[in-house]
Amino acid sequence: MRTPNRVTITEVGPRDGLQNEGRAIPLAEKVALVDALSETGLTRIEAASFVSPKAIPQMANAAEVMAGIRRAPGVTYIGLVPNEVGARNAIEARVDEIAVVVSASESHNRANVNRTIAESLEAIRGIASLCREVRVPWTGYVSTAFGCPYEGAVEAARVMEIAQRLRDTGAEAIALGDTIGIANPRQVSEVVSLFFARFADTPLRLHFHDTRGMALANVIAAMEAGSTQFDGSAGGLGGCPYAPGASGNVATEDLVAMLHAMGIATGVQLEALLEAAWLAEDIVGRPLDGRVKRTLPRPGVAQLAPQADYVP
């Protein structure tokens, strides 16, 4: 099995995770979650989304989140933006990196941002210009890269075409999102291999949802094809408001536990990450999907039965 020595993880729980929650999450709890994640050894955290509160109410106080967090040395704090207004607000809030999203399918792009793909790519040109002026790097996300909730299969050639446009516009990295968790390991291997054959010098990040329980299998397939960067969400928080049926992202603690068991370094402390995942569960007020924390005792909580041995 071909695997890397080290993997870099981008934690997306505070943004992609919380955006789909039905109840309003208090500002202090959002800040507490980011701060807890900042103490785990993670070096990349997607902290907020600078979108209209009418579109996604949970992200209404993005600037206040950025102002309230304790910025840990060596951690890159990322803000998602939909347009130039969002980009200006994110830059003013002192994000370290910006993320932009365009769908690989027209139907999802219209549902997500009320634009055609061509219109989104043109808007991203303006965002890229702002980023160049202030020297803030940005990543281009291609959502529905492995399948669309409205159109079904998405051609890999279309995904590569959009990735090419994003790279030509100035993206420092490309991320491919399995927005509805429909990808399978063979498909992932083929798409990742195609990407590196075409963009050998461009960093690639993979964003897998675990709708069908295949996210970790897809991570392994991606690593075997050369990938070393993945998104995760504490506890498995997540879902897309505009992707019917999509469940949460792969749980960051499950991803880290698997990688460590395989001898792959992440720089993340699993125990601290589990504490952050339990905090995320407390914040949303319901059990989350992460599996590893189910097998280990929560500190300070009496256990009804002995826990199985676990060696990370």
Side-chain angles (χ1 to χ4, degrees):
M1 180 180 291
R2 175 191 176 191
T3 57
N5 294 323
R6 189 177 186 88
V7 158
T8 299
I9 295 171
T10 299
E11 170 62 49
V12 300
R15 196 284 300 177
D16 194 31
L18 293 181
Q19 73 173 6
N20 208 39
E21 290 301 307
R23 76 173 185 89
I25 305 297
L27 173 62
E29 294 183 3
K30 294 180 183 178
V31 170
L33 179 58
V34 176
D35 286 347
L37 292 164
S38 296
E39 298 300 319
T40 65
L42 287 161
T43 57
R44 296 177 50 80
I45 300 174
E46 191 179 65
S49 178
F50 292 80
V51 299
S52 167
K54 293 180 181 179
I56 304 182
Q58 287 293 11
M59 297 290 107
N61 47 12
E64 290 87 345
V65 170
M66 295 303 302
I69 61 175
R70 297 190 304 269
R71 296 184 184 234
V75 178
T76 296
Y77 294 96
I78 305 157
L80 180 80
V81 307
N83 49 40
E84 289 188 45
V85 172
R88 291 183 189 278
N89 291 338
I91 290 167
E92 185 175 344
R94 297 190 305 114
V95 300
D96 300 309
E97 182 177 314
I98 279 175
V100 301
V101 180
V102 59
S103 301
S105 58
E106 289 286 356
S107 298
H108 185 265
N109 204 70
R110 287 185 179 276
N112 197 28
V113 294
N114 196 29
R115 289 175 176 162
T116 65
I117 291 173
E119 289 169 341
S120 285
L121 290 171
E122 184 59 32
I124 288 170
R125 290 173 62 86
I127 296 170
S129 179
L130 286 173
C131 288
R132 280 194 299 273
E133 289 177 12
V134 295
R135 297 184 179 180
V136 171
W138 62 279
T139 293
Y141 272 80
V142 184
S143 62
T144 63
F146 298 91
C148 172
Y150 307 107
E151 299 178 20
V154 174
E155 293 185 3
R158 182 63 179 274
V159 176
M160 296 304 124
E161 177 186 344
I162 295 172
Q164 179 80 59
R165 292 283 301 276
L166 291 170
R167 195 187 73 156
D168 291 348
T169 305
E172 297 201 6
I174 300 296
L176 302 182
D178 181 21
T179 309
I180 56 174
I182 200 171
N184 65 75
R186 174 175 288 182
Q187 179 189 22
V188 168
S189 179
E190 292 171 351
V191 170
V192 172
S193 296
L194 183 60
F195 181 92
F196 284 126
R198 185 164 175 174
F199 310 110
D201 59 342
T202 302
L204 173 65
R205 298 175 184 136
L206 279 303
H207 179 103
F208 292 123
H209 285 242
D210 203 30
T211 309
R212 292 164 175 77
M214 288 195 286
L216 291 178
N218 288 332
V219 168
I220 291 175
M223 288 194 299
E224 288 186 311
S227 294
T228 62
Q229 299 191 47
F230 301 93
D231 289 358
S233 180
L237 274 170
C240 175
Y242 305 105
S247 69
N249 298 277
V250 61
T252 313
E253 66 273 18
D254 292 356
L255 176 58
V256 168
M258 182 190 76
L259 294 171
H260 288 186
M262 296 173 70
I264 300 170
T266 65
V268 180
Q269 303 169 33
L270 182 58
E271 184 175 342
L273 185 57
L274 283 165
E275 291 176 2
W278 277 311
L279 174 61
E281 189 168 285
D282 291 342
I283 288 172
V284 300
R286 69 176 192 282
L288 293 176
D289 293 334
R291 293 171 174 82
V292 169
K293 64 184 175 61
R294 298 178 191 168
T295 70
L296 298 175
R298 183 173 184 175
V301 177
Q303 300 299 307
L304 298 178
Q307 299 295 302
D309 290 337
Y310 177 78
V311 180

